[in-house]
Amino acid sequence: MINEKELRLDYFIDPQRKVFQDPEHFCFNTDTRLLAQFSHIKKGETVLDIGTNNGVLLVYASQFAPKKLIGVEVLEHSYELACFNAGQFIKQECEIIHAPIQDVSIDPVDVILSNPPFFEIRELHPDTKITKRALGRFEINCTLEELISSAARLLKSNGRFYFVHRPDRIFEIFLMLGKYKFSVKRIQVAYDARSRGAKSLLVEAIKDGHTKTRIEDSVWI
């Protein structure tokens, strides 16, 4: 059960757009903000957020007057928090599903968003304790291929898939997108101003598309 006294009320991008977060669990970060600002959502569309966590991307998407918002979350506490935030801040029809994305069956949607776990299980040290935050960082519940195959299954033909991932997995990302019949329409790389290294890769992919890829101007964090 959600205890509001344990939550923190933060704003996301716009001070007028607020969301409750649990500091003990995975909270939205720079990648979440980058993905929100990279995505394009049109009035009347149905939007699915895979791994919705506390529902912040759904709250952000609600400003564009979508027809329906759907969030899928496998972790029970995050699911409950997403339901709470949806009830507080979303006026459109909104459904939060508590299930692994691999088991979800819904009508195809227009847009899919996802800020998924980035790190492979083999990168997890055997002695590392699986914390609540680690569950949002490692591919324990959903691998990259499972994410992309699920997006292909749940997206309409010519629908748009927006996600953020690690630049050092770009070859695997493009390989999997091709395997599941996506074309890459846009990519953008976010760099860390401190290390001057590539930190995040943003992707817009089109299901059954045949688009050429446009590389957007880089973003400096």
Side-chain angles (χ1 to χ4, degrees):
M1 295 292 294
I2 294 298
N3 182 352
E4 191 172 340
K5 293 181 180 179
E6 297 176 352
L7 304 179
R8 184 180 71 218
L9 183 61
D10 294 326
Y11 77 83
F12 183 67
I13 300 176
D14 182 344
Q16 302 302 313
R17 189 164 297 106
K18 293 182 169 59
V19 66
F20 284 102
Q21 302 204 91
D22 187 334
E24 296 297 319
H25 290 253
F26 191 80
C27 295
F28 65 71
N29 55 19
T30 302
D31 286 327
T32 319
R33 175 179 62 80
L34 291 170
L35 177 60
Q37 294 174 320
F38 180 77
S39 304
H40 293 160
I41 296 168
K42 302 173 186 175
K43 181 178 180 180
E45 292 186 316
T46 297
V47 181
L48 167 65
D49 180 17
I50 297 177
T52 195
N53 189 29
N54 54 31
V56 64
L57 287 174
L58 297 178
V59 172
Y60 180 83
S62 68
Q63 69 181 297
F64 302 107
K67 178 182 179 181
K68 183 177 181 180
L69 295 164
I70 305 169
V72 174
E73 179 53 58
V74 68
L75 303 179
E76 184 173 3
H77 181 76
S78 297
Y79 158 76
E80 292 175 350
L81 184 51
C83 291
F84 182 76
N85 278 321
Q88 293 286 321
F89 304 115
I90 295 177
K91 297 179 180 178
Q92 293 90 349
E93 181 182 357
C94 183
E95 178 183 7
I96 310 295
I97 300 171
H98 182 207
I101 189 60
Q102 300 91 327
D103 297 342
V104 171
S105 179
I106 57 175
D107 291 336
V109 301
D110 302 293
V111 178
I112 293 180
L113 310 173
S114 188
N115 180 8
F118 289 174
F119 300 100
E120 297 173 275
I121 293 294
R122 61 185 178 87
E123 298 179 76
L124 185 63
H125 192 278
D127 297 332
T128 300
K129 182 181 178 181
I130 304 299
T131 64
K132 297 169 184 177
R133 292 184 181 181
L135 288 170
R137 294 170 56 83
F138 288 89
E139 295 181 336
I140 295 169
N141 294 302
C142 183
T143 65
L144 176 62
E145 181 166 10
E146 287 172 331
L147 171 70
I148 293 173
S149 64
S150 296
R153 179 171 57 85
L154 299 171
L155 197 59
K156 293 178 180 178
S157 184
N158 291 311
R160 308 186 305 286
F161 178 28
Y162 298 99
F163 65 100
V164 58
H165 220 284
R166 285 171 53 184
D168 61 6
R169 296 184 70 181
I170 188 170
F171 177 77
E172 182 185 1
I173 289 167
F174 279 37
L175 192 68
M176 288 299 167
L177 288 171
K179 178 178 179 179
Y180 290 97
K181 303 190 184 320
F182 281 97
S183 67
V184 178
K185 182 176 180 179
R186 294 190 300 138
I187 62 172
Q188 185 174 49
V189 179
Y191 291 87
D192 190 325
R194 295 164 297 182
S195 66
R196 304 195 69 79
K199 179 185 181 294
S200 305
L201 177 71
L202 298 147
V203 179
E204 177 185 355
I206 309 297
K207 180 182 175 180
D208 301 325
H210 301 282
T211 61
K212 294 186 181 296
T213 304
R214 184 170 77 247
I215 302 175
E216 303 281 351
D217 291 342
S218 299
V219 175
W220 286 90
I221 302 168

